[in-house]
Amino acid sequence: MMRALILGGIADASLLAAEIARAGIDAVYSYGGRTRAPADQPLPTRIGGFGGVSGLADYIRREGITHVIDATHPFAAEMSRNAVAACAETGTPLIALERAPWVKASDDNWIEVADVNAAVAALPNAPAKVFLAIGRQHIAPFAAKPQHAYTLRFVDPPEASLPFPADVIVSRGPFTFDGELGMMRARGIAWIVARNSGGNGARAKIDAARMLGLPVIMIARPRLPERLRAESVAEVMQWLGHRTCLGA
């Protein structure tokens, strides 16, 4: 009997959950627990961490998991590394549903950096209005440059005080090109800091920045262990041995 575990985090993970439910595959959808009100899924859902590699390996054995799909955010490096190690330990097939990264176009004004600390260093010293589009887990290093007027956007209101003064937008994506363009113009955004998440759901801010000619400090994805990869839900379903009719 097949029993799949989806490690969720990206929008395509919900599309995958819908396809798996339609195919009648026994599966569990796992949320990391960072969002207080996660989207409903058509599969049994668990919320929270596993307790590292050993905890995930124990869960795989205990729950009879036969296949693992890592559909976490491209920057959820710890979870992805743990999945590789736990699946190797238990002999469980693993595939990553990983959207292709964005590629710089000729009219993009990107400053490509390796990590968050390098992104902080790349910001100017003169005060500027900065949109930090990087999620709440990675903002603390920007306290080193408190002279900037930061705009942050979170799915949930912050539960604790921020490490620096900032204007917080509480909103859940995906976001439209017109909406991002309007937000940046209304707030006078001069710099954007983004992670190279790839995909279409978060791309609107990159397209809007291009239209406005704004510099984008683009943080590269973390390096991850080698693993089988797919860029579409259909590929994952084929890996599971099921055909899909996406869009039907």
Side-chain angles (χ1 to χ4, degrees), residues 37-79:
D40 291 336
Q41 299 296 338
L43 297 171
T45 302
R46 67 171 302 281
I47 298 175
F50 293 93
V53 174
S54 61
L56 178 54
D58 288 345
Y59 181 88
I60 289 170
R61 295 187 186 102
R62 183 174 67 251
E63 297 296 324
I65 300 300
T66 63
H67 295 73
V68 176
I69 303 108
D70 179 1
T72 59
H73 192 277
F75 283 77
E78 183 178 5
M79 185 69 253

Side-chain angles (χ1 to χ4, degrees), residues 1-206:
M1 290 287 292
M2 176 182 293
R3 189 164 200 237
L5 171 63
I6 302 173
L7 304 174
I10 59 173
D12 282 352
S14 294
L15 297 177
L16 175 63
E19 282 300 316
I20 283 179
R22 274 195 286 268
I25 300 172
D26 185 13
V28 178
Y29 189 105
S30 178
Y31 278 109
R34 297 192 187 280
T35 301
R36 293 204 292 273
D40 291 336
Q41 299 296 338
L43 297 171
T45 302
R46 67 171 302 281
I47 298 175
F50 293 93
V53 174
S54 61
L56 178 54
D58 288 345
Y59 181 88
I60 289 170
R61 295 187 186 102
R62 183 174 67 251
E63 297 296 324
I65 300 300
T66 63
H67 295 73
V68 176
I69 303 108
D70 179 1
T72 59
H73 192 277
F75 283 77
E78 183 178 5
M79 185 69 253
S80 292
R81 293 184 183 114
N82 288 351
V84 170
C87 287
E89 180 180 325
T90 59
T92 307
L94 167 70
I95 193 169
L97 177 55
E98 184 179 292
R99 53 204 180 193
W102 297 315
V103 177
K104 182 180 180 182
S106 59
D107 49 352
D108 280 320
N109 183 9
W110 288 8
I111 301 167
E112 297 179 85
V113 297
D115 53 33
V116 171
N117 290 330
V120 175
L123 281 174
N125 290 322
K129 293 184 177 181
V130 180
F131 177 32
L132 290 185
I134 60 172
R136 64 186 177 186
Q137 304 299 318
H138 306 284
I139 64 171
F142 290 89
K145 289 191 173 177
Q147 68 269 33
H148 298 307
Y150 292 106
T151 293
L152 311 176
R153 185 164 61 197
F154 302 147
V155 173
D156 300 311
E159 295 179 326
S161 59
L162 299 172
F164 48 80
D167 185 11
V168 177
I169 302 171
V170 179
S171 185
R172 186 190 295 269
F175 302 99
T176 67
F177 171 78
D178 289 340
E180 297 290 66
L181 197 64
M183 182 274 290
M184 292 177 191
R185 283 173 169 162
R187 295 171 180 271
I189 299 298
W191 287 76
I192 297 169
V193 181
R195 299 176 296 180
N196 196 334
S197 303
N200 296 321
R203 186 181 175 85
K205 62 178 175 286
I206 306 303

